[in-house]
Amino acid sequence: MANSTTPLLSNHQDQEFPNLNDHFSSLEQIIEPFFDTCNGKIAWPQILQVILVSLACFFEAQQTFITIFTDPIYTSIVSEWSLHCFTSSILQGLPASSFFMGCLLGGLVLGVLGDSIGRKTMLFFGCLIMSIASIFIAFSNNVWMYSALRFLSGYGRAAIGSSVLVLCSESVGKQYQGKVGTIGFFMSTFGFVSLPCLAYFSKDYSWRVLYLSTSLPAIVYCLLIQFCVYESPRWLLSKGKVIEAYAVLNTSHLKKESSNLDHNKLSFTTMSGSDPPLIKILLRKKSILGQLLLAVAAGFGIGLMYYGMPLGLGNGNFSLNLYLSTGLNALLELPSFLIVFFLVEKCKRRSTLVGLSVLSGVCGMSCMIASERKVLQMVLELTSFFSACTAFDLLLIYTSELFPTSIRNAAVSIVWQAVVLGGVVSPVLVDAGGDSNNKILAYLTLGIMTAIAGCLVVFLPETKGLEICKNIEEQEQKGCINHV
């Protein structure tokens, strides 16, 4: 990109640049008017971009929770491959855990790459890997092949959530970044809700039909990403790709006033460069490492309940109708999304997350103690899941605000995979619980861990209302983080 930026720089090399102490804020000052369209309202082209990008979460949610219907005790892969004949109940939870292990590895690898090769590119490849693997799953002939392909599907899925959140938030003005970050959760809700419907109408057919009906449309969606989604202009500028960023800002379906951008200042702001890889930053900046570890711990605790509750439905831990119970869990994500959407700009991140985590943990513990009262048990289970779901949405938005653009995708992805790690642990822990007494102990453990881990966010800085920075240097220079 040296050749692409040189003409812009050389044309203005004799002109006076802004004061070095002021150049940190110039990037947002130049770009923000481009996003501030329609008398302060977000423009329709930007809304369509956000919706199209967020649609990836619809397919991601389907593949995440599909094992509720394909892996239950008395039907589907368990009965087809006689898994109930094995003495170890852990084998029955192997496919679900394999998927989350793939998510964990994919998050560590692909999440970091998202800051290097771009948000759009990573979103495309993540969806493609997940979809192709899910198609091949429909042709599995044993549990080992099934688990391996679920691992690969999870590996691709890992790149989707963080790419959607970051790409959406970086494609709009700062006053809308928190709200558009919740649209992906809204799409995820619809993906989750669609599962019990698809599973009910395909219950007389093989479980393979359910995989094909969810993965084939996702392949078509990958084409839409490639040809209809544009890259984050903020990411392009953070990488010094001035020409590409200008092309995105000046596309015909975006605001035409982008032609008035100050190229001199725009080129100068990219001269400050971008941060080194995340691992080098973590080794040199102990404060950044500490913040990431605290966010990871909170994410792990929330993930125990967020994934543990709905996945426990397929194991018969909450023995009402499977389709109804799963549908209720899925529908709870809708009010969760609405709460975060309307209150994200008003609520403080830390205190809200603590309250939600404690509520989820307490209700999670109580639902197994109330096992003799099925209705009460279901109410407590739904409350626990609702609280974890709301905390999950808010935590990811909070994480995107904690870290600058240059490492945001990697940081969000790592925290997201910490939530996924909770999904790895929770089904194995519950399945290993065996009889009812041990299951009570398992859910007590999950509840305590969720409450304690969520409380760790009190040691993180508050980010409500603060400006998002481009890199670590700018964050330190401007004091973008509020520690009170």
PDB file of all heavy atoms in Angstrom, residues 229-265:
ATOM      1  N   VAL A 229     -21.159  -6.708   0.686  1.00  0.00           N
ATOM      2  CA  VAL A 229     -20.674  -6.118   1.933  1.00  0.00           C
ATOM      3  C   VAL A 229     -19.361  -5.386   1.671  1.00  0.00           C
ATOM      4  O   VAL A 229     -18.502  -5.890   0.930  1.00  0.00           O
ATOM      5  CB  VAL A 229     -20.475  -7.203   3.011  1.00  0.00           C
ATOM      6  CG1 VAL A 229     -19.768  -6.633   4.235  1.00  0.00           C
ATOM      7  CG2 VAL A 229     -21.822  -7.795   3.413  1.00  0.00           C
ATOM      8  N   TYR A 230     -19.206  -4.212   2.245  1.00  0.00           N
ATOM      9  CA  TYR A 230     -17.949  -3.480   2.094  1.00  0.00           C
ATOM     10  C   TYR A 230     -17.152  -3.523   3.395  1.00  0.00           C
ATOM     11  O   TYR A 230     -17.700  -3.744   4.473  1.00  0.00           O
ATOM     12  CB  TYR A 230     -18.198  -2.036   1.658  1.00  0.00           C
ATOM     13  CG  TYR A 230     -19.143  -1.236   2.518  1.00  0.00           C
ATOM     14  CD1 TYR A 230     -18.697  -0.565   3.656  1.00  0.00           C
ATOM     15  CD2 TYR A 230     -20.489  -1.124   2.181  1.00  0.00           C
ATOM     16  CE1 TYR A 230     -19.556   0.175   4.436  1.00  0.00           C
ATOM     17  CE2 TYR A 230     -21.369  -0.374   2.956  1.00  0.00           C
ATOM     18  CZ  TYR A 230     -20.894   0.268   4.077  1.00  0.00           C
ATOM     19  OH  TYR A 230     -21.750   1.004   4.860  1.00  0.00           O
ATOM     20  N   GLU A 231     -15.852  -3.314   3.269  1.00  0.00           N
ATOM     21  CA  GLU A 231     -14.950  -3.408   4.413  1.00  0.00           C
ATOM     22  C   GLU A 231     -15.108  -2.197   5.323  1.00  0.00           C
ATOM     23  O   GLU A 231     -15.582  -1.135   4.911  1.00  0.00           O
ATOM     24  CB  GLU A 231     -13.503  -3.514   3.902  1.00  0.00           C
ATOM     25  CG  GLU A 231     -12.441  -3.700   4.982  1.00  0.00           C
ATOM     26  CD  GLU A 231     -12.694  -4.916   5.853  1.00  0.00           C
ATOM     27  OE1 GLU A 231     -12.254  -6.005   5.484  1.00  0.00           O
ATOM     28  OE2 GLU A 231     -13.352  -4.744   6.912  1.00  0.00           O
ATOM     29  N   SER A 232     -14.708  -2.354   6.570  1.00  0.00           N
ATOM     30  CA  SER A 232     -14.765  -1.269   7.545  1.00  0.00           C
ATOM     31  C   SER A 232     -13.807  -0.150   7.143  1.00  0.00           C
ATOM     32  O   SER A 232     -12.596  -0.372   7.022  1.00  0.00           O
ATOM     33  CB  SER A 232     -14.379  -1.800   8.929  1.00  0.00           C
ATOM     34  OG  SER A 232     -13.998  -0.741   9.780  1.00  0.00           O
ATOM     35  N   PRO A 233     -14.304   1.065   6.920  1.00  0.00           N
ATOM     36  CA  PRO A 233     -13.399   2.163   6.565  1.00  0.00           C
ATOM     37  C   PRO A 233     -12.432   2.508   7.691  1.00  0.00           C
ATOM     38  O   PRO A 233     -11.306   2.919   7.443  1.00  0.00           O
ATOM     39  CB  PRO A 233     -14.353   3.320   6.252  1.00  0.00           C
ATOM     40  CG  PRO A 233     -15.621   2.985   6.975  1.00  0.00           C
ATOM     41  CD  PRO A 233     -15.712   1.490   6.965  1.00  0.00           C
ATOM     42  N   ARG A 234     -12.869   2.330   8.925  1.00  0.00           N
ATOM     43  CA  ARG A 234     -11.971   2.612  10.044  1.00  0.00           C
ATOM     44  C   ARG A 234     -10.807   1.621  10.064  1.00  0.00           C
ATOM     45  O   ARG A 234      -9.662   1.994  10.351  1.00  0.00           O
ATOM     46  CB  ARG A 234     -12.748   2.554  11.365  1.00  0.00           C
ATOM     47  CG  ARG A 234     -13.640   3.768  11.620  1.00  0.00           C
ATOM     48  CD  ARG A 234     -14.335   3.652  12.962  1.00  0.00           C
ATOM     49  NE  ARG A 234     -14.993   4.880  13.352  1.00  0.00           N
ATOM     50  CZ  ARG A 234     -16.235   5.210  13.051  1.00  0.00           C
ATOM     51  NH1 ARG A 234     -16.963   4.365  12.325  1.00  0.00           N
ATOM     52  NH2 ARG A 234     -16.762   6.349  13.448  1.00  0.00           N
ATOM     53  N   TRP A 235     -11.096   0.344   9.784  1.00  0.00           N
ATOM     54  CA  TRP A 235     -10.016  -0.638   9.738  1.00  0.00           C
ATOM     55  C   TRP A 235      -9.052  -0.325   8.602  1.00  0.00           C
ATOM     56  O   TRP A 235      -7.838  -0.411   8.758  1.00  0.00           O
ATOM     57  CB  TRP A 235     -10.569  -2.053   9.559  1.00  0.00           C
ATOM     58  CG  TRP A 235      -9.487  -3.090   9.423  1.00  0.00           C
ATOM     59  CD1 TRP A 235      -8.784  -3.687  10.436  1.00  0.00           C
ATOM     60  CD2 TRP A 235      -8.955  -3.612   8.203  1.00  0.00           C
ATOM     61  NE1 TRP A 235      -7.852  -4.559   9.917  1.00  0.00           N
ATOM     62  CE2 TRP A 235      -7.933  -4.531   8.563  1.00  0.00           C
ATOM     63  CE3 TRP A 235      -9.235  -3.402   6.856  1.00  0.00           C
ATOM     64  CZ2 TRP A 235      -7.201  -5.228   7.599  1.00  0.00           C
ATOM     65  CZ3 TRP A 235      -8.500  -4.103   5.898  1.00  0.00           C
ATOM     66  CH2 TRP A 235      -7.501  -5.001   6.278  1.00  0.00           C
ATOM     67  N   LEU A 236      -9.591   0.037   7.443  1.00  0.00           N
ATOM     68  CA  LEU A 236      -8.744   0.360   6.293  1.00  0.00           C
ATOM     69  C   LEU A 236      -7.805   1.520   6.623  1.00  0.00           C
ATOM     70  O   LEU A 236      -6.614   1.476   6.295  1.00  0.00           O
ATOM     71  CB  LEU A 236      -9.615   0.712   5.088  1.00  0.00           C
ATOM     72  CG  LEU A 236     -10.399  -0.446   4.455  1.00  0.00           C
ATOM     73  CD1 LEU A 236     -11.395   0.080   3.437  1.00  0.00           C
ATOM     74  CD2 LEU A 236      -9.453  -1.447   3.806  1.00  0.00           C
ATOM     75  N   LEU A 237      -8.334   2.526   7.283  1.00  0.00           N
ATOM     76  CA  LEU A 237      -7.499   3.663   7.639  1.00  0.00           C
ATOM     77  C   LEU A 237      -6.486   3.308   8.717  1.00  0.00           C
ATOM     78  O   LEU A 237      -5.364   3.808   8.710  1.00  0.00           O
ATOM     79  CB  LEU A 237      -8.377   4.828   8.110  1.00  0.00           C
ATOM     80  CG  LEU A 237      -9.198   5.511   7.007  1.00  0.00           C
ATOM     81  CD1 LEU A 237     -10.162   6.514   7.611  1.00  0.00           C
ATOM     82  CD2 LEU A 237      -8.281   6.197   6.007  1.00  0.00           C
ATOM     83  N   SER A 238      -6.866   2.436   9.642  1.00  0.00           N
ATOM     84  CA  SER A 238      -5.929   2.027  10.689  1.00  0.00           C
ATOM     85  C   SER A 238      -4.759   1.252  10.107  1.00  0.00           C
ATOM     86  O   SER A 238      -3.696   1.182  10.715  1.00  0.00           O
ATOM     87  CB  SER A 238      -6.636   1.179  11.744  1.00  0.00           C
ATOM     88  OG  SER A 238      -6.915  -0.117  11.258  1.00  0.00           O
ATOM     89  N   LYS A 239      -4.947   0.673   8.907  1.00  0.00           N
ATOM     90  CA  LYS A 239      -3.887  -0.065   8.225  1.00  0.00           C
ATOM     91  C   LYS A 239      -3.185   0.782   7.171  1.00  0.00           C
ATOM     92  O   LYS A 239      -2.358   0.273   6.410  1.00  0.00           O
ATOM     93  CB  LYS A 239      -4.460  -1.324   7.565  1.00  0.00           C
ATOM     94  CG  LYS A 239      -4.965  -2.358   8.552  1.00  0.00           C
ATOM     95  CD  LYS A 239      -3.851  -2.850   9.450  1.00  0.00           C
ATOM     96  CE  LYS A 239      -4.349  -3.895  10.428  1.00  0.00           C
ATOM     97  NZ  LYS A 239      -3.285  -4.361  11.344  1.00  0.00           N
ATOM     98  N   GLY A 240      -3.534   2.058   7.093  1.00  0.00           N
ATOM     99  CA  GLY A 240      -2.901   2.939   6.129  1.00  0.00           C
ATOM    100  C   GLY A 240      -3.418   2.777   4.716  1.00  0.00           C
ATOM    101  O   GLY A 240      -2.816   3.285   3.769  1.00  0.00           O
ATOM    102  N   LYS A 241      -4.538   2.100   4.544  1.00  0.00           N
ATOM    103  CA  LYS A 241      -5.109   1.869   3.206  1.00  0.00           C
ATOM    104  C   LYS A 241      -6.019   3.044   2.852  1.00  0.00           C
ATOM    105  O   LYS A 241      -7.248   2.920   2.820  1.00  0.00           O
ATOM    106  CB  LYS A 241      -5.867   0.545   3.179  1.00  0.00           C
ATOM    107  CG  LYS A 241      -4.996  -0.667   3.505  1.00  0.00           C
ATOM    108  CD  LYS A 241      -5.826  -1.943   3.509  1.00  0.00           C
ATOM    109  CE  LYS A 241      -5.009  -3.157   3.903  1.00  0.00           C
ATOM    110  NZ  LYS A 241      -4.029  -3.532   2.873  1.00  0.00           N
ATOM    111  N   VAL A 242      -5.411   4.187   2.558  1.00  0.00           N
ATOM    112  CA  VAL A 242      -6.172   5.410   2.348  1.00  0.00           C
ATOM    113  C   VAL A 242      -7.032   5.329   1.098  1.00  0.00           C
ATOM    114  O   VAL A 242      -8.202   5.723   1.114  1.00  0.00           O
ATOM    115  CB  VAL A 242      -5.213   6.620   2.252  1.00  0.00           C
ATOM    116  CG1 VAL A 242      -5.998   7.903   2.005  1.00  0.00           C
ATOM    117  CG2 VAL A 242      -4.391   6.736   3.522  1.00  0.00           C
ATOM    118  N   ILE A 243      -6.475   4.833  -0.009  1.00  0.00           N
ATOM    119  CA  ILE A 243      -7.224   4.764  -1.260  1.00  0.00           C
ATOM    120  C   ILE A 243      -8.440   3.865  -1.114  1.00  0.00           C
ATOM    121  O   ILE A 243      -9.557   4.211  -1.543  1.00  0.00           O
ATOM    122  CB  ILE A 243      -6.320   4.243  -2.401  1.00  0.00           C
ATOM    123  CG1 ILE A 243      -5.134   5.187  -2.613  1.00  0.00           C
ATOM    124  CG2 ILE A 243      -7.122   4.100  -3.683  1.00  0.00           C
ATOM    125  CD1 ILE A 243      -5.537   6.591  -3.014  1.00  0.00           C
ATOM    126  N   GLU A 244      -8.250   2.678  -0.501  1.00  0.00           N
ATOM    127  CA  GLU A 244      -9.370   1.757  -0.312  1.00  0.00           C
ATOM    128  C   GLU A 244     -10.442   2.358   0.597  1.00  0.00           C
ATOM    129  O   GLU A 244     -11.646   2.206   0.356  1.00  0.00           O
ATOM    130  CB  GLU A 244      -8.883   0.429   0.256  1.00  0.00           C
ATOM    131  CG  GLU A 244      -8.061  -0.402  -0.716  1.00  0.00           C
ATOM    132  CD  GLU A 244      -6.574  -0.092  -0.616  1.00  0.00           C
ATOM    133  OE1 GLU A 244      -6.236   1.031  -0.191  1.00  0.00           O
ATOM    134  OE2 GLU A 244      -5.777  -0.973  -0.968  1.00  0.00           O
ATOM    135  N   ALA A 245      -9.979   3.027   1.670  1.00  0.00           N
ATOM    136  CA  ALA A 245     -10.931   3.642   2.593  1.00  0.00           C
ATOM    137  C   ALA A 245     -11.729   4.738   1.895  1.00  0.00           C
ATOM    138  O   ALA A 245     -12.950   4.839   2.059  1.00  0.00           O
ATOM    139  CB  ALA A 245     -10.199   4.212   3.798  1.00  0.00           C
ATOM    140  N   TYR A 246     -11.044   5.535   1.098  1.00  0.00           N
ATOM    141  CA  TYR A 246     -11.731   6.594   0.368  1.00  0.00           C
ATOM    142  C   TYR A 246     -12.728   6.006  -0.622  1.00  0.00           C
ATOM    143  O   TYR A 246     -13.822   6.550  -0.823  1.00  0.00           O
ATOM    144  CB  TYR A 246     -10.715   7.458  -0.369  1.00  0.00           C
ATOM    145  CG  TYR A 246     -11.351   8.592  -1.140  1.00  0.00           C
ATOM    146  CD1 TYR A 246     -11.832   9.722  -0.492  1.00  0.00           C
ATOM    147  CD2 TYR A 246     -11.479   8.518  -2.525  1.00  0.00           C
ATOM    148  CE1 TYR A 246     -12.427  10.747  -1.194  1.00  0.00           C
ATOM    149  CE2 TYR A 246     -12.079   9.544  -3.235  1.00  0.00           C
ATOM    150  CZ  TYR A 246     -12.542  10.662  -2.573  1.00  0.00           C
ATOM    151  OH  TYR A 246     -13.142  11.668  -3.267  1.00  0.00           O
ATOM    152  N   ALA A 247     -12.369   4.887  -1.246  1.00  0.00           N
ATOM    153  CA  ALA A 247     -13.281   4.242  -2.193  1.00  0.00           C
ATOM    154  C   ALA A 247     -14.548   3.774  -1.493  1.00  0.00           C
ATOM    155  O   ALA A 247     -15.655   3.897  -2.028  1.00  0.00           O
ATOM    156  CB  ALA A 247     -12.581   3.063  -2.875  1.00  0.00           C
ATOM    157  N   VAL A 248     -14.404   3.225  -0.267  1.00  0.00           N
ATOM    158  CA  VAL A 248     -15.572   2.791   0.493  1.00  0.00           C
ATOM    159  C   VAL A 248     -16.437   3.989   0.866  1.00  0.00           C
ATOM    160  O   VAL A 248     -17.668   3.969   0.716  1.00  0.00           O
ATOM    161  CB  VAL A 248     -15.146   2.023   1.763  1.00  0.00           C
ATOM    162  CG1 VAL A 248     -16.335   1.799   2.673  1.00  0.00           C
ATOM    163  CG2 VAL A 248     -14.505   0.697   1.392  1.00  0.00           C
ATOM    164  N   LEU A 249     -15.797   5.051   1.337  1.00  0.00           N
ATOM    165  CA  LEU A 249     -16.545   6.239   1.749  1.00  0.00           C
ATOM    166  C   LEU A 249     -17.197   6.948   0.575  1.00  0.00           C
ATOM    167  O   LEU A 249     -18.161   7.702   0.747  1.00  0.00           O
ATOM    168  CB  LEU A 249     -15.608   7.208   2.474  1.00  0.00           C
ATOM    169  CG  LEU A 249     -14.985   6.700   3.789  1.00  0.00           C
ATOM    170  CD1 LEU A 249     -14.041   7.730   4.350  1.00  0.00           C
ATOM    171  CD2 LEU A 249     -16.054   6.353   4.793  1.00  0.00           C
ATOM    172  N   ASN A 250     -16.679   6.722  -0.628  1.00  0.00           N
ATOM    173  CA  ASN A 250     -17.160   7.433  -1.797  1.00  0.00           C
ATOM    174  C   ASN A 250     -17.988   6.557  -2.739  1.00  0.00           C
ATOM    175  O   ASN A 250     -18.255   6.939  -3.863  1.00  0.00           O
ATOM    176  CB  ASN A 250     -15.983   8.034  -2.584  1.00  0.00           C
ATOM    177  CG  ASN A 250     -16.426   9.187  -3.472  1.00  0.00           C
ATOM    178  OD1 ASN A 250     -17.254   9.989  -3.087  1.00  0.00           O
ATOM    179  ND2 ASN A 250     -15.873   9.259  -4.672  1.00  0.00           N
ATOM    180  N   THR A 251     -18.374   5.349  -2.273  1.00  0.00           N
ATOM    181  CA  THR A 251     -19.192   4.488  -3.122  1.00  0.00           C
ATOM    182  C   THR A 251     -20.550   5.132  -3.357  1.00  0.00           C
ATOM    183  O   THR A 251     -21.047   5.891  -2.528  1.00  0.00           O
ATOM    184  CB  THR A 251     -19.401   3.109  -2.467  1.00  0.00           C
ATOM    185  OG1 THR A 251     -19.831   3.288  -1.122  1.00  0.00           O
ATOM    186  CG2 THR A 251     -18.129   2.298  -2.502  1.00  0.00           C
ATOM    187  N   SER A 252     -21.152   4.781  -4.475  1.00  0.00           N
ATOM    188  CA  SER A 252     -22.371   5.455  -4.889  1.00  0.00           C
ATOM    189  C   SER A 252     -23.529   5.238  -3.930  1.00  0.00           C
ATOM    190  O   SER A 252     -24.452   6.053  -3.841  1.00  0.00           O
ATOM    191  CB  SER A 252     -22.785   4.970  -6.286  1.00  0.00           C
ATOM    192  OG  SER A 252     -22.994   3.570  -6.284  1.00  0.00           O
ATOM    193  N   HIS A 253     -23.512   4.109  -3.185  1.00  0.00           N
ATOM    194  CA  HIS A 253     -24.627   3.851  -2.283  1.00  0.00           C
ATOM    195  C   HIS A 253     -24.387   4.393  -0.885  1.00  0.00           C
ATOM    196  O   HIS A 253     -25.162   4.147   0.024  1.00  0.00           O
ATOM    197  CB  HIS A 253     -24.897   2.345  -2.188  1.00  0.00           C
ATOM    198  CG  HIS A 253     -23.740   1.548  -1.687  1.00  0.00           C
ATOM    199  ND1 HIS A 253     -22.633   1.285  -2.436  1.00  0.00           N
ATOM    200  CD2 HIS A 253     -23.523   0.950  -0.489  1.00  0.00           C
ATOM    201  CE1 HIS A 253     -21.773   0.559  -1.745  1.00  0.00           C
ATOM    202  NE2 HIS A 253     -22.297   0.350  -0.556  1.00  0.00           N
ATOM    203  N   LEU A 254     -23.304   5.157  -0.726  1.00  0.00           N
ATOM    204  CA  LEU A 254     -23.041   5.816   0.548  1.00  0.00           C
ATOM    205  C   LEU A 254     -23.121   7.329   0.337  1.00  0.00           C
ATOM    206  O   LEU A 254     -23.430   7.818  -0.745  1.00  0.00           O
ATOM    207  CB  LEU A 254     -21.661   5.416   1.077  1.00  0.00           C
ATOM    208  CG  LEU A 254     -21.544   3.953   1.475  1.00  0.00           C
ATOM    209  CD1 LEU A 254     -20.129   3.649   1.909  1.00  0.00           C
ATOM    210  CD2 LEU A 254     -22.512   3.625   2.582  1.00  0.00           C
ATOM    211  N   LYS A 255     -22.800   8.063   1.356  1.00  0.00           N
ATOM    212  CA  LYS A 255     -22.934   9.512   1.302  1.00  0.00           C
ATOM    213  C   LYS A 255     -21.950  10.125   0.298  1.00  0.00           C
ATOM    214  O   LYS A 255     -20.748   9.922   0.393  1.00  0.00           O
ATOM    215  CB  LYS A 255     -22.684  10.104   2.690  1.00  0.00           C
ATOM    216  CG  LYS A 255     -22.992  11.591   2.765  1.00  0.00           C
ATOM    217  CD  LYS A 255     -22.630  12.119   4.140  1.00  0.00           C
ATOM    218  CE  LYS A 255     -22.875  13.609   4.208  1.00  0.00           C
ATOM    219  NZ  LYS A 255     -22.400  14.215   5.446  1.00  0.00           N
ATOM    220  N   LYS A 256     -22.462  10.889  -0.664  1.00  0.00           N
ATOM    221  CA  LYS A 256     -21.622  11.467  -1.698  1.00  0.00           C
ATOM    222  C   LYS A 256     -20.748  12.598  -1.177  1.00  0.00           C
ATOM    223  O   LYS A 256     -19.752  12.960  -1.802  1.00  0.00           O
ATOM    224  CB  LYS A 256     -22.493  11.982  -2.848  1.00  0.00           C
ATOM    225  CG  LYS A 256     -23.232  10.859  -3.574  1.00  0.00           C
ATOM    226  CD  LYS A 256     -24.059  11.387  -4.726  1.00  0.00           C
ATOM    227  CE  LYS A 256     -24.773  10.244  -5.439  1.00  0.00           C
ATOM    228  NZ  LYS A 256     -25.620  10.713  -6.571  1.00  0.00           N
ATOM    229  N   GLU A 257     -21.122  13.159  -0.032  1.00  0.00           N
ATOM    230  CA  GLU A 257     -20.317  14.237   0.541  1.00  0.00           C
ATOM    231  C   GLU A 257     -18.944  13.757   0.995  1.00  0.00           C
ATOM    232  O   GLU A 257     -18.109  14.537   1.421  1.00  0.00           O
ATOM    233  CB  GLU A 257     -21.043  14.876   1.730  1.00  0.00           C
ATOM    234  CG  GLU A 257     -22.177  15.804   1.352  1.00  0.00           C
ATOM    235  CD  GLU A 257     -23.471  15.057   1.078  1.00  0.00           C
ATOM    236  OE1 GLU A 257     -23.415  13.815   0.917  1.00  0.00           O
ATOM    237  OE2 GLU A 257     -24.525  15.703   1.019  1.00  0.00           O
ATOM    238  N   SER A 258     -18.689  12.439   0.948  1.00  0.00           N
ATOM    239  CA  SER A 258     -17.363  11.943   1.311  1.00  0.00           C
ATOM    240  C   SER A 258     -16.293  12.502   0.395  1.00  0.00           C
ATOM    241  O   SER A 258     -15.111  12.456   0.704  1.00  0.00           O
ATOM    242  CB  SER A 258     -17.339  10.414   1.255  1.00  0.00           C
ATOM    243  OG  SER A 258     -17.665   9.967  -0.039  1.00  0.00           O
ATOM    244  N   SER A 259     -16.693  13.061  -0.765  1.00  0.00           N
ATOM    245  CA  SER A 259     -15.728  13.674  -1.668  1.00  0.00           C
ATOM    246  C   SER A 259     -15.110  14.925  -1.061  1.00  0.00           C
ATOM    247  O   SER A 259     -14.095  15.415  -1.531  1.00  0.00           O
ATOM    248  CB  SER A 259     -16.406  14.030  -2.999  1.00  0.00           C
ATOM    249  OG  SER A 259     -17.492  14.914  -2.779  1.00  0.00           O
ATOM    250  N   ASN A 260     -15.743  15.430  -0.005  1.00  0.00           N
ATOM    251  CA  ASN A 260     -15.218  16.611   0.660  1.00  0.00           C
ATOM    252  C   ASN A 260     -14.224  16.287   1.764  1.00  0.00           C
ATOM    253  O   ASN A 260     -13.791  17.166   2.477  1.00  0.00           O
ATOM    254  CB  ASN A 260     -16.373  17.431   1.260  1.00  0.00           C
ATOM    255  CG  ASN A 260     -17.313  17.955   0.193  1.00  0.00           C
ATOM    256  OD1 ASN A 260     -16.882  18.292  -0.906  1.00  0.00           O
ATOM    257  ND2 ASN A 260     -18.598  18.030   0.537  1.00  0.00           N
ATOM    258  N   LEU A 261     -13.901  15.003   1.927  1.00  0.00           N
ATOM    259  CA  LEU A 261     -12.946  14.620   2.964  1.00  0.00           C
ATOM    260  C   LEU A 261     -11.609  15.310   2.749  1.00  0.00           C
ATOM    261  O   LEU A 261     -11.149  15.473   1.611  1.00  0.00           O
ATOM    262  CB  LEU A 261     -12.741  13.104   2.948  1.00  0.00           C
ATOM    263  CG  LEU A 261     -13.874  12.264   3.521  1.00  0.00           C
ATOM    264  CD1 LEU A 261     -13.604  10.789   3.261  1.00  0.00           C
ATOM    265  CD2 LEU A 261     -14.052  12.516   4.995  1.00  0.00           C
ATOM    266  N   ASP A 262     -10.994  15.726   3.825  1.00  0.00           N
ATOM    267  CA  ASP A 262      -9.689  16.367   3.772  1.00  0.00           C
ATOM    268  C   ASP A 262      -8.623  15.297   3.580  1.00  0.00           C
ATOM    269  O   ASP A 262      -8.209  14.639   4.527  1.00  0.00           O
ATOM    270  CB  ASP A 262      -9.446  17.143   5.072  1.00  0.00           C
ATOM    271  CG  ASP A 262      -8.217  18.032   4.976  1.00  0.00           C
ATOM    272  OD1 ASP A 262      -7.266  17.650   4.270  1.00  0.00           O
ATOM    273  OD2 ASP A 262      -8.230  19.097   5.620  1.00  0.00           O
ATOM    274  N   HIS A 263      -8.143  15.132   2.336  1.00  0.00           N
ATOM    275  CA  HIS A 263      -7.180  14.070   2.050  1.00  0.00           C
ATOM    276  C   HIS A 263      -5.846  14.298   2.753  1.00  0.00           C
ATOM    277  O   HIS A 263      -5.148  13.358   3.111  1.00  0.00           O
ATOM    278  CB  HIS A 263      -6.939  13.976   0.544  1.00  0.00           C
ATOM    279  CG  HIS A 263      -8.084  13.390  -0.205  1.00  0.00           C
ATOM    280  ND1 HIS A 263      -9.225  14.109  -0.470  1.00  0.00           N
ATOM    281  CD2 HIS A 263      -8.276  12.146  -0.708  1.00  0.00           C
ATOM    282  CE1 HIS A 263     -10.067  13.344  -1.132  1.00  0.00           C
ATOM    283  NE2 HIS A 263      -9.525  12.158  -1.288  1.00  0.00           N
ATOM    284  N   ASN A 264      -5.488  15.574   2.931  1.00  0.00           N
ATOM    285  CA  ASN A 264      -4.235  15.884   3.605  1.00  0.00           C
ATOM    286  C   ASN A 264      -4.238  15.342   5.029  1.00  0.00           C
ATOM    287  O   ASN A 264      -3.356  14.590   5.433  1.00  0.00           O
ATOM    288  CB  ASN A 264      -4.029  17.404   3.598  1.00  0.00           C
ATOM    289  CG  ASN A 264      -2.770  17.828   4.333  1.00  0.00           C
ATOM    290  OD1 ASN A 264      -1.825  17.055   4.425  1.00  0.00           O
ATOM    291  ND2 ASN A 264      -2.770  19.041   4.841  1.00  0.00           N
ATOM    292  N   LYS A 265      -5.294  15.696   5.776  1.00  0.00           N
ATOM    293  CA  LYS A 265      -5.395  15.230   7.157  1.00  0.00           C
ATOM    294  C   LYS A 265      -5.628  13.734   7.221  1.00  0.00           C
ATOM    295  O   LYS A 265      -5.124  13.047   8.100  1.00  0.00           O
ATOM    296  CB  LYS A 265      -6.528  15.967   7.876  1.00  0.00           C
ATOM    297  CG  LYS A 265      -6.241  17.447   8.111  1.00  0.00           C
ATOM    298  CD  LYS A 265      -7.376  18.092   8.889  1.00  0.00           C
ATOM    299  CE  LYS A 265      -7.090  19.555   9.170  1.00  0.00           C
ATOM    300  NZ  LYS A 265      -8.182  20.194   9.928  1.00  0.00           N
TER     301      LYS A 265
END
